[in-house]
Amino acid sequence: MSDQLSQYNNIWIDGEIVPSYDAKISIMSHALHYASSVFEGIRAYDSHVFKLNQHLNRLEASAQLLGFTVPYTKDILKQAIYSLMEAQQHKEAYIRIIVWCGIDKITVSHSNIDVHAAIAIWERAPNYQEKHFTEGIRLCIADWKRPAPDTAPTQSKAAGLYMISSLSKVQAEKSGYDDALMLDYRGYIAEASSSNIFLVIDNALYTPIPDCFLNGITRLTVIELAHKLGIPIAEAHLSIDALDRAQEVFLTGTAIEILPVGRIEGAQGKWSFKPGLITHTICNAFADITRNNGNLLSS
Ligand code: PMP
């Protein structure tokens, strides 16, 4: 446990930078009991934080959807991130911001409760190995479904929604897969446990309409890249049969960036894919704008 903690070095918590061991919260925090917290996962490449404004805007929107407010301005949070990165001498880093409800009361209601924020930055080990990027990962189809937008605040990056992601990912790992493909409450293809999905069908990209799951910032970046590169792209409700017509499939997310899918298996069928020209083109364009100072997009 102590080794795990030490990788975070220092934590910014409510305006102070403290050693990770001293960043403590109460067991009676509302967030711990009722999942009243929202968070962001952000990446820094060569000392530049990628899409920082978009992430901080989403953090504010996520909190608002849960009925509370981020207690610090975007400028304060930006300053905190860059101070931590400098203090820890990180050039390439994963940044986690969490905003949560505190201890004013331990009833289900969190109205007028104290709200807190913390930031941890570390050099996150890659989730996947080289072979996963060349051959693609293996997905099973999750039993859990993405809920309807009137069942849960599905546009919020709220910790509570990750219960379904965690259950699906654990189910996948236990069955020997890398991740799970999640369908939505209507049976349409939604996303993976913590990333969005794209299909390549006859040289065009298709991605599900994010009307009941997170509209990822990497997803939006890929859509913008496709437009700039002249690759046809459509957002659509995709039934599982769309996999029959797909030649390539890949996932997108801050942590995994662009990750090809090689196989999808479930009670509904089995499909194989090979990362091809479009996946490679998008991968290279994404690497360009993050790592090689490419100027395809504004960041
Ligand atoms: N869906 C879920 C459930 C996620 O957790 C993530 C990761 N934040 C994504 C999609 C992809 O979002 P982004 O590209 O903004 O990281």
Side-chain angles (χ1 to χ4, degrees):
M1 181 60 178
S2 54
D3 277 353
Q4 270 178 12
L5 253 184
S6 65
Q7 71 174 313
Y8 307 112
N9 297 317
N10 298 309
I11 303 277
W12 181 95
I13 178 164
D14 286 333
E16 268 185 86
I17 293 180
V18 299
S20 56
Y21 300 95
D22 292 332
K24 294 183 177 147
I25 65 164
S26 168
I27 289 294
M28 296 314 286
S29 295
H30 193 278
L32 195 57
H33 296 252
Y34 302 119
S36 50
S37 66
V38 295
F39 68 98
E40 274 303 314
I42 311 172
R43 285 281 281 268
Y45 298 93
D46 197 16
S47 303
H48 173 69
V49 183
F50 186 62
K51 304 276 179 188
L52 182 53
N53 283 326
Q54 287 89 330
H55 282 284
L56 294 177
N57 288 342
R58 185 168 71 185
L59 185 73
E60 286 185 344
S62 292
Q64 232 163 39
L65 281 162
L66 261 59
F68 53 89
T69 308
V70 178
Y72 302 97
T73 63
K74 282 190 271 233
D75 279 347
I76 289 176
L77 295 176
K78 278 182 197 172
Q79 217 174 6
I81 289 171
Y82 280 107
S83 306
L84 264 183
M85 280 188 21
E86 208 176 294
Q88 296 176 181
Q89 304 205 320
H90 284 318
K91 286 185 153 191
E92 302 263 319
Y94 183 85
I95 301 155
R96 177 58 64 93
I97 308 186
I98 183 146
V99 175
W100 72 95
C101 293
I103 54 168
D104 271 359
K105 52 187 175 184
I106 198 71
T107 64
V108 168
S109 162
H110 56 46
S111 61
N112 302 319
I113 204 167
D114 52 314
V115 181
H116 305 267
I119 304 172
I121 300 185
W122 71 103
E123 283 173 20
R124 183 174 167 157
N127 293 0
Y128 290 101
Q129 301 150 13
E130 192 54 39
K131 72 164 190 192
H132 294 120
F133 288 90
T134 50
E135 291 163 23
I137 61 162
R138 299 174 73 247
L139 306 181
C140 63
I141 298 176
D143 291 339
W144 297 94
K145 305 273 189 290
R146 285 282 169 216
D150 60 357
T151 302
T154 53
Q155 295 308 318
S156 174
K157 197 164 164 61
L161 282 164
Y162 281 82
M163 178 179 63
I164 317 169
S165 293
S166 302
L167 284 168
S168 302
K169 177 85 175 174
V170 168
Q171 180 197 13
E173 287 172 345
K174 276 191 178 157
S175 318
Y177 295 90
D178 300 302
D179 200 352
L181 170 66
M182 307 193 64
L183 306 181
D184 73 16
Y185 63 104
R186 297 160 294 198
Y188 292 135
I189 294 172
E191 57 171 355
S193 67
S194 56
S195 52
N196 295 117
I197 189 164
F198 285 79
L199 275 55
V200 178
I201 302 175
D202 301 333
N203 297 316
L205 278 167
Y206 293 85
T207 191
I209 298 168
D211 56 5
C212 62
F213 57 87
L214 209 62
N215 185 1
I217 290 166
T218 321
R219 175 187 181 278
L220 290 168
T221 306
V222 166
I223 292 174
E224 212 180 329
L225 279 174
H227 286 310
K228 300 243 170 183
L229 293 165
I231 300 171
I233 167 111
E235 296 178 75
H237 285 135
L238 299 170
S239 64
I240 196 90
D241 303 343
L243 296 177
D244 295 341
R245 288 175 281 127
Q247 295 88 34
E248 304 173 43
V249 173
F250 61 84
L251 305 178
T252 64
T254 297
I256 59 162
E257 303 178 314
I258 315 293
L259 180 64
V261 174
R263 181 96 175 145
I264 301 178
E265 295 185 0
Q268 302 87 333
K270 292 183 169 89
W271 299 266
S272 290
F273 312 99
K274 269 207 163 61
L277 183 64
I278 294 201
T279 304
H280 291 136
T281 305
I282 295 289
C283 271
N284 292 340
F286 191 79
D288 244 15
I289 56 163
T290 52
R291 293 210 164 78
N292 307 329
N293 278 328
N295 54 7
L296 261 175
L297 301 175
S298 56
S299 61

